[in-house]
Amino acid sequence: MTRTLRNALLGAAFGLALAAGPAGAATIKVGVIAPFSGPFAMFGKTFKDGIAQYQAEHGQTVGADTVEFVYRDLEQANPAQAKALAQELIVKERVSFLAGFTFTPDALAVAPLIDEANIPAVVFNAATSAITEKSPRFVRTSFTLWQNTVPLAEHMAKQGIRTAVTAVSDYGPGLDGEAAFKATFEKNGGKVADAIRMPLKSTDFAPFMQRIKDTGAEAVYAFLPAGPTTLAFAKAFADNGLKDKGVRLFGPGDITQEPDLPALGDAVLGMTTSFHYSRAHDSAVNKAFLAKHKELFGNDDTATFTTVGAYDGTHVIYQMIKNAGGGKIDGAKAVESVKGMSWESPRGPVTIDPDSRHVTQTIYLRTVEKVGGRLENVEKAAFEKQPDYGYKLAK
Amino acid sequence: MESIFGIAVDGIAYGMILFIISVGLSVTLGLMRVVNLAHGAFAMLGGYVASYAAQSVGLPYVAALIVAVALTVLATLPLERLLYRRIYGSANELSQVLLTIGLTFVIVAGINYLFGPTLKRIPLPDLLTGTVALGPKAIPTHRAFVIGAGAATLVGLWWLLERTDFGIRLRAAVDDPAMAAALGIRTERLYLATFALGTGLAALGGVLGAELLPLEPYYAIRYIVLFLAVVAVGGAGSIFGSAAAALALGIIDTAGKYLIPNFGEFFFYAALILILFRWPHGFFKGRTA
């Protein structure tokens, strides 16, 4: 039954493609590798939403070419499988672009492949600075830990905070965040009293809170990847009396990403983070973005930084196809053609830095507040044109 | 001094959560000889029901807790009739593992489909938020409540299995089903009741532990290793063994995280290996021997 149905659909699609395709038109495929199932499925869902929204707004065609997205599920960080999936997409699906990548190791694993096949890869999320150094065909539309941490550490020093503790998840981005914080904070006269690296799979954070308390530091810089652990961490911070004791918690915005805010609840009320996107960002482009998101998906509860990363990433891919002008996509040339490209994103003005191929953007200082009964990251200050400070530095 | 006390209190609270969830597994494994890998999925189910009851229906915490335990038991009883009954006894362990792990995947996919991949929360009443001073350390009220609930579970279970008619019949049915049946004990009903007890404990632990083991669809697979570790160390079917194992592992894990966080979960698994090396059948030899 399902097979007949599928055959019928395939036949119909094939027939339509034959009938509708004018001479010279091609289908350009983009392979998206991300978690669509498992504990990190939220990333895949938001990527898909971002792409679908961009295609709904700008059409499925560029010139005469149809752009088609092919999705491959990579449940969790798994470099070997990322490589296998990329290979399959390149060889069997004949994709012209790769995109997605939630975790750093997965992006790093495909670097040799995209060089060999001469295919651009647009990173929607993975945030270690080292990624774009590994291949000239990487373009990134998300953020890096250095980019977010440098202005945050400067802000904390300006607030008169003298001693701080870093508490980060023990993997690439966490170590980037720790290094960026220490370098910037100490340059501005602060002192890092203790550097705690927490296992990525921690669930009970009470011991770390006790340790932070013991150092007597005034503030904590914390980075954990968005997901189940951030909830437990933020709760432990409030429950172990650190919040009441006046210890202040800072960190990149992963810890208060929009889909988790209802679950985090009042525990994160008043928490200050630095990040490149907030749903509460006050601009016409963002308002239109959220309105369209609501229209397409029924609500904007899950619209978050990864949605925007994918939305902007799709914009860059469309631009590369446009620049190729209907010709065959040459990876190196396509990446060359978007260097220095600027546009207004829902997060604010952004530029693809010609050197690092990473997005230069405004980093906002935000505080979690109740807006109309729902928790939002309300922007308090903006640091304009922040580059990736970690490019060719974090070794 | 404060930190040593802190490690002890946090470790006991963590251990109690592990105990409440794991003891249900220990009961089904030790008394009924079913390797129920779906136990974590039942705990998750309880947590999700409580979260839904509290957030979408607006029930108070205690009511949500009771509803969650009751509904989880009700929902899983047909499984006992239709599936588990076929795999009782230790003769076919492979089919037990395959069936229950399959069931886990079905529940994970179902929860993911129904509730989505985001975190779910069970709002605590005002009474349970904030901190209570316990000697030199202030601990979250919720943790104190969990420690109390764990102790109550421990005593209640001991009483149920050692001092009641139900417990005597159950132990008889487990030791020699044929003889027990000949004496007029309805073993099928007893098994049904024990299965319900195990599932109910899982659901209870899932709700009480939601602050420490956050609810998301992969809960079932993420934490089952912890629960199995407790049962392995404690000895299947032994209530006090489970409690001792859960507390020991909870305290060791907490101390390791506090003193040398870079080592990750090293201490948890190192302790597991050392204990099993010394006591291969767990602290207290279970009833299965």
Side-chain angles (χ1 to χ4, degrees), chain A residues 82-100:
Chain A
K83 205 168 170 182
L85 289 174
Q87 200 147 21
E88 189 222 318
L89 284 166
I90 293 168
V91 176
K92 277 174 71 186
E93 296 284 343
R94 303 196 168 279
V95 297
S96 306
F97 295 90
L98 284 179

PDB file of all heavy atoms in Angstrom, chain A residues 82-100:
ATOM      1  N   ALA A  82      29.359  11.562  10.479  1.00  0.00           N
ATOM      2  CA  ALA A  82      29.192  12.816   9.753  1.00  0.00           C
ATOM      3  C   ALA A  82      29.906  12.719   8.411  1.00  0.00           C
ATOM      4  O   ALA A  82      29.389  13.133   7.366  1.00  0.00           O
ATOM      5  CB  ALA A  82      29.764  13.977  10.572  1.00  0.00           C
ATOM      6  N   LYS A  83      31.091  12.140   8.441  1.00  0.00           N
ATOM      7  CA  LYS A  83      31.886  12.003   7.220  1.00  0.00           C
ATOM      8  C   LYS A  83      31.187  11.061   6.237  1.00  0.00           C
ATOM      9  O   LYS A  83      31.094  11.350   5.043  1.00  0.00           O
ATOM     10  CB  LYS A  83      33.268  11.442   7.598  1.00  0.00           C
ATOM     11  CG  LYS A  83      34.333  11.801   6.620  1.00  0.00           C
ATOM     12  CD  LYS A  83      35.695  11.472   7.201  1.00  0.00           C
ATOM     13  CE  LYS A  83      36.735  11.595   6.122  1.00  0.00           C
ATOM     14  NZ  LYS A  83      38.064  11.247   6.617  1.00  0.00           N
ATOM     15  N   ALA A  84      30.683   9.936   6.768  1.00  0.00           N
ATOM     16  CA  ALA A  84      29.996   8.974   5.904  1.00  0.00           C
ATOM     17  C   ALA A  84      28.765   9.598   5.259  1.00  0.00           C
ATOM     18  O   ALA A  84      28.517   9.422   4.055  1.00  0.00           O
ATOM     19  CB  ALA A  84      29.606   7.743   6.720  1.00  0.00           C
ATOM     20  N   LEU A  85      28.006  10.357   6.050  1.00  0.00           N
ATOM     21  CA  LEU A  85      26.797  10.994   5.515  1.00  0.00           C
ATOM     22  C   LEU A  85      27.161  12.024   4.456  1.00  0.00           C
ATOM     23  O   LEU A  85      26.509  12.119   3.407  1.00  0.00           O
ATOM     24  CB  LEU A  85      26.008  11.668   6.648  1.00  0.00           C
ATOM     25  CG  LEU A  85      25.304  10.741   7.637  1.00  0.00           C
ATOM     26  CD1 LEU A  85      24.682  11.542   8.773  1.00  0.00           C
ATOM     27  CD2 LEU A  85      24.227   9.925   6.929  1.00  0.00           C
ATOM     28  N   ALA A  86      28.223  12.800   4.732  1.00  0.00           N
ATOM     29  CA  ALA A  86      28.650  13.816   3.766  1.00  0.00           C
ATOM     30  C   ALA A  86      29.064  13.148   2.460  1.00  0.00           C
ATOM     31  O   ALA A  86      28.717  13.616   1.361  1.00  0.00           O
ATOM     32  CB  ALA A  86      29.800  14.632   4.343  1.00  0.00           C
ATOM     33  N   GLN A  87      29.782  12.040   2.590  1.00  0.00           N
ATOM     34  CA  GLN A  87      30.236  11.327   1.400  1.00  0.00           C
ATOM     35  C   GLN A  87      29.040  10.833   0.577  1.00  0.00           C
ATOM     36  O   GLN A  87      29.004  10.977  -0.638  1.00  0.00           O
ATOM     37  CB  GLN A  87      31.079  10.130   1.842  1.00  0.00           C
ATOM     38  CG  GLN A  87      31.978   9.607   0.763  1.00  0.00           C
ATOM     39  CD  GLN A  87      33.262   9.061   1.380  1.00  0.00           C
ATOM     40  OE1 GLN A  87      33.306   8.734   2.559  1.00  0.00           O
ATOM     41  NE2 GLN A  87      34.302   8.959   0.581  1.00  0.00           N
ATOM     42  N   GLU A  88      28.075  10.277   1.287  1.00  0.00           N
ATOM     43  CA  GLU A  88      26.890   9.770   0.597  1.00  0.00           C
ATOM     44  C   GLU A  88      26.157  10.907  -0.111  1.00  0.00           C
ATOM     45  O   GLU A  88      25.718  10.762  -1.253  1.00  0.00           O
ATOM     46  CB  GLU A  88      25.970   9.108   1.628  1.00  0.00           C
ATOM     47  CG  GLU A  88      24.803   8.360   1.010  1.00  0.00           C
ATOM     48  CD  GLU A  88      23.512   8.585   1.743  1.00  0.00           C
ATOM     49  OE1 GLU A  88      23.519   8.585   2.990  1.00  0.00           O
ATOM     50  OE2 GLU A  88      22.484   8.777   1.062  1.00  0.00           O
ATOM     51  N   LEU A  89      26.045  12.041   0.570  1.00  0.00           N
ATOM     52  CA  LEU A  89      25.346  13.186  -0.025  1.00  0.00           C
ATOM     53  C   LEU A  89      26.075  13.679  -1.273  1.00  0.00           C
ATOM     54  O   LEU A  89      25.455  14.031  -2.277  1.00  0.00           O
ATOM     55  CB  LEU A  89      25.230  14.320   0.999  1.00  0.00           C
ATOM     56  CG  LEU A  89      24.174  14.139   2.080  1.00  0.00           C
ATOM     57  CD1 LEU A  89      24.383  15.130   3.216  1.00  0.00           C
ATOM     58  CD2 LEU A  89      22.775  14.306   1.490  1.00  0.00           C
ATOM     59  N   ILE A  90      27.394  13.686  -1.189  1.00  0.00           N
ATOM     60  CA  ILE A  90      28.179  14.207  -2.313  1.00  0.00           C
ATOM     61  C   ILE A  90      28.152  13.234  -3.491  1.00  0.00           C
ATOM     62  O   ILE A  90      27.897  13.618  -4.635  1.00  0.00           O
ATOM     63  CB  ILE A  90      29.636  14.481  -1.875  1.00  0.00           C
ATOM     64  CG1 ILE A  90      29.689  15.625  -0.857  1.00  0.00           C
ATOM     65  CG2 ILE A  90      30.503  14.812  -3.079  1.00  0.00           C
ATOM     66  CD1 ILE A  90      31.008  15.784  -0.146  1.00  0.00           C
ATOM     67  N   VAL A  91      28.382  11.957  -3.201  1.00  0.00           N
ATOM     68  CA  VAL A  91      28.523  10.982  -4.287  1.00  0.00           C
ATOM     69  C   VAL A  91      27.176  10.534  -4.844  1.00  0.00           C
ATOM     70  O   VAL A  91      26.960  10.544  -6.051  1.00  0.00           O
ATOM     71  CB  VAL A  91      29.333   9.757  -3.787  1.00  0.00           C
ATOM     72  CG1 VAL A  91      29.408   8.693  -4.867  1.00  0.00           C
ATOM     73  CG2 VAL A  91      30.724  10.193  -3.368  1.00  0.00           C
ATOM     74  N   LYS A  92      26.264  10.161  -3.947  1.00  0.00           N
ATOM     75  CA  LYS A  92      24.994   9.608  -4.434  1.00  0.00           C
ATOM     76  C   LYS A  92      23.952  10.678  -4.743  1.00  0.00           C
ATOM     77  O   LYS A  92      23.259  10.610  -5.752  1.00  0.00           O
ATOM     78  CB  LYS A  92      24.435   8.608  -3.423  1.00  0.00           C
ATOM     79  CG  LYS A  92      25.077   7.229  -3.606  1.00  0.00           C
ATOM     80  CD  LYS A  92      24.666   6.260  -2.529  1.00  0.00           C
ATOM     81  CE  LYS A  92      23.212   5.823  -2.656  1.00  0.00           C
ATOM     82  NZ  LYS A  92      22.846   4.984  -1.491  1.00  0.00           N
ATOM     83  N   GLU A  93      23.826  11.648  -3.852  1.00  0.00           N
ATOM     84  CA  GLU A  93      22.805  12.679  -4.069  1.00  0.00           C
ATOM     85  C   GLU A  93      23.321  13.807  -4.959  1.00  0.00           C
ATOM     86  O   GLU A  93      22.553  14.636  -5.420  1.00  0.00           O
ATOM     87  CB  GLU A  93      22.345  13.250  -2.716  1.00  0.00           C
ATOM     88  CG  GLU A  93      21.643  12.263  -1.811  1.00  0.00           C
ATOM     89  CD  GLU A  93      20.202  11.987  -2.245  1.00  0.00           C
ATOM     90  OE1 GLU A  93      19.653  12.781  -3.025  1.00  0.00           O
ATOM     91  OE2 GLU A  93      19.649  10.960  -1.809  1.00  0.00           O
ATOM     92  N   ARG A  94      24.606  13.855  -5.158  1.00  0.00           N
ATOM     93  CA  ARG A  94      25.242  14.894  -5.979  1.00  0.00           C
ATOM     94  C   ARG A  94      24.855  16.303  -5.506  1.00  0.00           C
ATOM     95  O   ARG A  94      24.433  17.148  -6.293  1.00  0.00           O
ATOM     96  CB  ARG A  94      24.881  14.724  -7.454  1.00  0.00           C
ATOM     97  CG  ARG A  94      25.262  13.366  -7.986  1.00  0.00           C
ATOM     98  CD  ARG A  94      25.280  13.296  -9.495  1.00  0.00           C
ATOM     99  NE  ARG A  94      25.918  12.067  -9.934  1.00  0.00           N
ATOM    100  CZ  ARG A  94      27.245  11.899  -9.996  1.00  0.00           C
ATOM    101  NH1 ARG A  94      28.055  12.881  -9.664  1.00  0.00           N
ATOM    102  NH2 ARG A  94      27.755  10.753 -10.388  1.00  0.00           N
ATOM    103  N   VAL A  95      24.981  16.522  -4.195  1.00  0.00           N
ATOM    104  CA  VAL A  95      24.643  17.851  -3.672  1.00  0.00           C
ATOM    105  C   VAL A  95      25.707  18.867  -4.090  1.00  0.00           C
ATOM    106  O   VAL A  95      26.874  18.518  -4.307  1.00  0.00           O
ATOM    107  CB  VAL A  95      24.528  17.841  -2.127  1.00  0.00           C
ATOM    108  CG1 VAL A  95      23.415  16.936  -1.672  1.00  0.00           C
ATOM    109  CG2 VAL A  95      25.851  17.445  -1.492  1.00  0.00           C
ATOM    110  N   SER A  96      25.289  20.113  -4.210  1.00  0.00           N
ATOM    111  CA  SER A  96      26.226  21.189  -4.546  1.00  0.00           C
ATOM    112  C   SER A  96      26.680  21.941  -3.304  1.00  0.00           C
ATOM    113  O   SER A  96      27.623  22.728  -3.360  1.00  0.00           O
ATOM    114  CB  SER A  96      25.574  22.171  -5.511  1.00  0.00           C
ATOM    115  OG  SER A  96      25.073  21.495  -6.632  1.00  0.00           O
ATOM    116  N   PHE A  97      25.948  21.744  -2.196  1.00  0.00           N
ATOM    117  CA  PHE A  97      26.299  22.414  -0.937  1.00  0.00           C
ATOM    118  C   PHE A  97      26.090  21.443   0.208  1.00  0.00           C
ATOM    119  O   PHE A  97      25.212  20.589   0.152  1.00  0.00           O
ATOM    120  CB  PHE A  97      25.380  23.614  -0.666  1.00  0.00           C
ATOM    121  CG  PHE A  97      25.500  24.727  -1.658  1.00  0.00           C
ATOM    122  CD1 PHE A  97      24.693  24.748  -2.787  1.00  0.00           C
ATOM    123  CD2 PHE A  97      26.426  25.748  -1.466  1.00  0.00           C
ATOM    124  CE1 PHE A  97      24.797  25.784  -3.707  1.00  0.00           C
ATOM    125  CE2 PHE A  97      26.531  26.779  -2.382  1.00  0.00           C
ATOM    126  CZ  PHE A  97      25.721  26.801  -3.510  1.00  0.00           C
ATOM    127  N   LEU A  98      26.884  21.618   1.264  1.00  0.00           N
ATOM    128  CA  LEU A  98      26.573  20.962   2.522  1.00  0.00           C
ATOM    129  C   LEU A  98      26.190  22.060   3.520  1.00  0.00           C
ATOM    130  O   LEU A  98      26.665  23.194   3.412  1.00  0.00           O
ATOM    131  CB  LEU A  98      27.771  20.174   3.061  1.00  0.00           C
ATOM    132  CG  LEU A  98      28.080  18.840   2.368  1.00  0.00           C
ATOM    133  CD1 LEU A  98      29.299  18.207   3.000  1.00  0.00           C
ATOM    134  CD2 LEU A  98      26.899  17.885   2.443  1.00  0.00           C
ATOM    135  N   ALA A  99      25.344  21.708   4.484  1.00  0.00           N
ATOM    136  CA  ALA A  99      24.922  22.702   5.469  1.00  0.00           C
ATOM    137  C   ALA A  99      24.520  21.990   6.753  1.00  0.00           C
ATOM    138  O   ALA A  99      24.495  20.755   6.804  1.00  0.00           O
ATOM    139  CB  ALA A  99      23.749  23.513   4.921  1.00  0.00           C
ATOM    140  N   GLY A 100      24.210  22.781   7.780  1.00  0.00           N
ATOM    141  CA  GLY A 100      23.793  22.213   9.063  1.00  0.00           C
ATOM    142  C   GLY A 100      24.940  22.237  10.048  1.00  0.00           C
ATOM    143  O   GLY A 100      25.546  23.270  10.274  1.00  0.00           O
TER     144      GLY A 100
END
